[in-house]
Amino acid sequence: MDATRIKQILSSSADIEVTYNGASVWIDMLNEDGKTATVHLRGPLEERSTVEITELQEI
């Protein structure tokens, strides 16, 4: 995925499914470097991770 698409997803009111290593995640923000994003797993756990945006996949 690229930074432009992540910005579109973040500004969208739609529920757009995104996965990281096969797990469904929410994108919290695109980081300032434009190459990483902060995400957390969908569900009760709120643990956040910083991941390379190229590893995110839109379903």
Side-chain angles (χ1 to χ4, degrees):
M1 190 174 298
D2 63 26
T4 301
R5 183 60 184 140
I6 289 177
K7 289 176 186 175
Q8 292 170 344
I9 290 171
L10 288 170
S11 66
S12 174
S13 61
D15 182 6
I16 299 167
E17 188 169 354
V18 175
T19 62
Y20 173 70
N21 287 341
S24 186
V25 296
W26 289 106
I27 302 173
D28 297 314
M29 63 184 244
L30 177 65
N31 296 326
E32 288 184 19
D33 63 10
K35 297 178 183 174
T36 60
T38 301
V39 302
H40 69 274
L41 291 173
R42 289 181 182 238
L45 298 177
E46 291 283 326
E47 183 177 336
R48 287 173 167 65
S49 301
T50 299
V51 301
E52 296 286 326
I53 63 172
T54 55
E55 296 180 32
L56 296 173
Q57 302 226 334
E58 183 176 349
I59 303 296

